[in-house]
Amino acid sequence: MVKISPDSHPATPSGTSPNGAEALVSFPVSFAQQRVWFLHYLEPTVASYNLPVALRLRGPLDVGALAESLNEIVIRHDALRTCFPVREGRPVQVIVPPRQVPLPETDLRHVSADGREAEAARLANSEATQPFDLARGPLFRAKLLRLGEEEYVLVITMHHIVSDGWSIGILMRELATLYGAFRLGKPSPLPELPIQYADYSLWQHNWMRGDVLEAELAYWKKQLAGIPAVLDVPTDRPRSAARSGRGASMSSLLPAGLLEKLTALARSEGATLFMTLLAAFQVLLSRYTGQEDVPVGSPIAGRTEVETENLIGFFVNTLVLRGDLSGDPTFRQLLARIREVSLEAYAHQDLPFEKLVEELQPIRTPNQTPLFQVLFQLATAAREEPPFDGLEVSWFHFQRESAKFDLSLSVITRSDRLSSVFEYRTDIFDKETIRRMQGHWLTLLEGIAADPDRRISELPLLSEAERRQIVLDWNSTASDYPKDSSVGDVFEAQAAATPDAIALSFGSHRMTYAELNARANRLARFLRARGVAPQTPVGVFLERSPDLVVTLLAILKSGAIYVPLDTSYPRERLAFQIRDTGLQFIVSEGSLAYRVPAADPVTIVRLDGELEAIGAESPENIPGTASGGSIAYVMYTSGSTGTPKGVLIPHRGILRLVKGVEYVQIGPSDVFLQLAAVSFDASTFEIWGALLNGAHCVL
């Protein structure tokens, strides 16, 4: 990288603004600033890109020295005095002259001791989520909450466009140093900064062009070719048209010893802990989405030059790290892939993510980040509390109610432990969903540490409680149903129990259970007399009507098998089914009988032509010959992918579908609409679900 030079940085204002005030020199925004400005412009009331930090201060605080220290930092770092008006349709950086940074104080000593912490957290969150006006500024603010005589919480909020995570560390160190000097009346001990952020922005625009830009773009275009448009992590609710920015976070401390095991695994493979955890996270995402191509965003400090190391500003860049999980590799094999991807990405980290998006022009939607929707980062060491002279200092943690991405995972090393923080958008994820994901993450890491040579599809994800629930509890579906009976037996019992209840309706026609049973008995006896034997297939070529249902029930009572022939099917399809099932009998009526594509030895039984003979049969129940294992009907597949195939359905299958079930309660007060064609298996539930439970079936 070329050395950054401050020579082109004009330090004095010039010109006059439109309102008559002194105009200030403007500078181009950096690529990162341009993107954040654009996102803010789309949703100016959303505080997703606010960077808050809060410190608890105990002891004799010198509020004046603290305020003076904050002002000195704002004077020292031009970025904190920068605003972003629009000039000729584009945002520019304008550095305003130093002005007093207010430090308002809110006294909470009147709040009860029990409620004081909660109120402080509420006010801190309120302060952290107040949006900034990028065009006018200021983009840095501070507030002091007084909890006791010698206890305070200092809340500082900056906008991401002028700061980043690294900058917070700089801010805290300088604040502690300046406070220690100013409370003693000493001048600032901090050395002069060699450059300001505007110098970096000018350098970036001058350097990232020509051959440098083309070389970086060539790598990333190749690396991201064919990248999935969306990492489709299952959500609890559909995404809205625009991002709300509402979010929450959930943290957990991982078991002792896990850090040591994962670090040892990384070392043995020539990888880093970051690469190992990233690979594990991509396994988790792959298992959730079913995708083998898993792109994840990851921030990188972007401070490759020594001049930027102590400068507050927005330097962080985002790399798209694409995980290839194809072929079901072992975790050790996957780690080797992720190691290669990560090292190559680090070698090409200078191309700003914003420039990459501009060049690749992926499909854009307002509610999703282009190229990736999930972020992963590792903090290799927790930030230490800055040592304020004469004060006891600790971090003041509060729940932020915003999220920049669909899902983010931050892993932090704390001494010999790992902690995980999941940040998520609350408009698409529920808290309980993230809690389960957190548990899956822990189980997966423990499985990897125990056996990294297992294939990623075999790595454990579920806790013992979840496994027991899925394998045992949810599959405990045994129910008491008449598995050894026939449909005819069960219907006869129902008809005896509710003989006068309405069984069928067709237009104005009504038929009770007793009437349906009697008619089916007569037809069953007639069919047996004509030669229909048990388990003989009998075709049914009838329009939807009470006669259709009577015929189906009669065939089952006779012990035979019904084969529905759809009257809308072409002759070729009907002829195939007749040949395939070897039909010897087909029940039909009226003009339909002449459309049956059948020849000898098939016998056509015409209901309208046999009324007298059928009516002469006994209405009493016919002795059954079928049992639960006997075949009840043959249902044909559509044949859309080849030759249609007949599926044999036993009586037990029908009874298991509609009797003793938990998925629906069916009783005499229910009314079923019989809508499906009898050649479609849905008709099984509509007809027999009603008639075997005493319900009313409307044709």
Side-chain angles (χ1 to χ4, degrees), residues 288-320:
Y288 266 67
T289 63
Q291 296 177 217
E292 295 180 337
D293 190 348
V294 181
V296 172
S298 186
I300 193 166
R303 297 171 185 257
T304 55
E305 292 299 305
V306 67
E307 292 91 344
T308 63
E309 288 184 359
N310 295 310
L311 192 61
I312 291 177
F314 187 16
F315 294 91
V316 67
N317 194 17
T318 304
L319 303 179
V320 183

Side-chain angles (χ1 to χ4, degrees), residues 527 536-542 551-552 555 561-565 577-578 581-588 596 602-605:
L527 292 175
T536 299
V538 178
V540 179
F541 193 61
L542 296 167
T551 301
L552 299 180
I555 292 171
I561 303 166
Y562 70 78
V563 181
L565 303 172
Q577 289 181 232
I578 292 170
T581 53
L583 291 181
Q584 298 179 34
F585 299 91
I586 297 176
V587 179
S588 187
V596 178
V602 179
T603 299
I604 307 297
V605 178

Side-chain angles (χ1 to χ4, degrees), residues 330-405:
T330 66
F331 183 80
R332 201 182 296 273
Q333 291 169 336
L334 175 64
L335 180 54
R337 297 181 189 179
I338 300 303
R339 176 183 180 275
E340 181 179 355
V341 167
S342 300
L343 290 176
E344 288 184 358
Y346 298 153
H348 296 85
Q349 65 173 281
D350 291 326
L351 181 70
F353 176 76
E354 296 70 27
K355 194 68 176 174
L356 178 62
V357 173
E358 178 184 320
E359 293 291 334
L360 293 183
Q361 295 187 350
I363 297 174
R364 304 289 295 274
T365 58
N367 60 357
Q368 288 184 318
T369 309
L371 301 181
F372 72 92
Q373 293 79 46
V374 176
L375 191 84
F376 174 80
Q377 59 184 335
L378 171 68
T380 55
R383 249 187 342 250
E384 297 180 357
E385 293 87 353
F388 277 70
D389 192 23
L391 298 174
E392 179 186 337
V393 180
S394 61
W395 298 110
F396 181 77
H397 299 286
F398 60 94
Q399 176 72 266
R400 287 194 63 193
E401 297 178 354
S402 64
K404 291 188 281 292
F405 303 97

Side-chain angles (χ1 to χ4, degrees), residues 231 262 265-266 269 271-288 291-298 321-326 329-342 346 374-378 409 411 440-441 444-449 452 454-457 459-461:
L231 184 63
L262 294 174
L265 171 61
E269 300 303 307
T272 63
L273 180 63
F274 169 84
M275 297 170 187
T276 305
L277 292 169
L278 171 63
F281 189 43
Q282 288 176 317
V283 171
L284 180 71
L285 294 171
S286 177
R287 296 279 286 273
Y288 266 67
Q291 296 177 217
E292 295 180 337
D293 190 348
V294 181
V296 172
S298 186
L321 303 176
R322 193 173 178 183
D324 174 14
L325 287 79
S326 62
T330 66
F331 183 80
R332 201 182 296 273
Q333 291 169 336
L334 175 64
L335 180 54
R337 297 181 189 179
I338 300 303
R339 176 183 180 275
E340 181 179 355
V341 167
S342 300
Y346 298 153
V374 176
L375 191 84
F376 174 80
Q377 59 184 335
L378 171 68
L409 172 59
V411 181
H440 296 161
W441 168 243
L444 179 63
L445 289 179
E446 291 178 329
I448 290 169
R454 292 181 73 176
R455 296 199 175 275
I456 59 175
S457 64
L459 288 168
L461 208 64

